[in-house]
Amino acid sequence: MAAAAASHRVFVYGTLMAEEVVRVLIGRSPSSSPAVLPNHQRFSIKRRVYPAILPVDGKEVSGKVFKGITDRELNVLDIFEDEEYVKRTVEISLTDTSEKLLAYAYIWGNQDDPDLYGEWDFEEWKRVHLEDYVKMTQEFMEELEQLEPKTET
């Protein structure tokens, strides 16, 4: 009998809040709940369409937490998030119950980045960039699948 796959929680606050993007990356829409990450702030990044978060006392970032993410899915998200982000374990609060949970979050690595500014607006991003971003994500997955060794089924 196969061992049960590890199950991870991942807090998302930017482009991964779009179901269309996540479905391209991991082939499904994982169960999720609205959540808040305290003592962090979301920023826009100059010349980029996706946001960053950094620790900032007294601020909070709203997003959602994915539950039941497998090792393989987490690996895809790690590669997609690129080396500018650092995956950290953070404590989040579920919006509906205030229950506190530990989850992974991708934090911007450069705390002194001069390209960070303002706030990032998910609804505006969806309106302006979602379609192109989904295409870019599909291209990313095609490249990733070419790099992954094929396993015999």
Side-chain angles (χ1 to χ4, degrees):
M1 189 157 135
S7 176
H8 306 280
R9 287 189 290 259
V10 180
F11 175 76
V12 297
Y13 55 85
T15 60
L16 292 178
M17 291 195 296
E19 192 175 310
E20 299 90 332
V21 173
V22 176
R23 203 175 278 282
V24 171
L25 288 171
I26 64 173
R28 68 187 183 98
S29 184
S31 74
S32 67
S33 299
V36 170
L37 174 60
N39 296 316
H40 284 73
Q41 185 172 350
R42 176 172 33 219
F43 296 93
S44 291
I45 311 169
K46 284 181 192 160
R47 298 176 299 282
R48 315 226 190 162
V49 300
Y50 49 84
I53 60 172
L54 284 175
V56 177
D57 281 346
K59 300 282 189 179
E60 65 177 33
V61 175
S62 57
K64 59 187 184 182
V65 60
F66 291 140
K67 301 166 187 161
I69 298 294
T70 66
D71 286 341
R72 186 186 169 282
E73 291 168 341
L74 189 64
N75 188 48
V76 169
L77 296 178
D78 287 350
I79 297 166
F80 184 71
E81 288 297 344
D82 209 20
E83 67 273 358
E84 290 173 303
Y85 291 92
V86 180
K87 184 173 67 184
R88 296 222 175 93
T89 301
V90 295
E91 187 177 72
I92 56 167
S93 293
L94 297 184
T95 307
D96 28 12
T97 64
S98 298
E99 180 189 354
K100 291 187 178 355
L101 296 173
L102 294 179
Y104 288 122
Y106 296 97
I107 315 285
W108 196 244
N110 179 3
Q111 296 219 343
D112 302 315
D113 193 329
D115 287 342
L116 301 186
Y117 71 97
E119 174 57 270
W120 184 84
D121 185 316
F122 179 62
E123 294 306 322
E124 182 188 349
W125 173 83
K126 271 190 0 188
R127 209 170 43 248
V128 178
H129 298 291
L130 178 61
E131 199 173 320
D132 288 341
Y133 201 85
V134 168
K135 284 187 193 133
M136 182 277 295
T137 306
Q138 287 164 336
E139 289 162 11
F140 164 84
M141 284 309 292
E142 284 162 17
E143 286 176 27
L144 188 62
E145 280 156 12
Q146 286 168 1
L147 296 173
E148 277 191 347
K150 294 283 178 268
T151 52
E152 298 295 320
T153 49

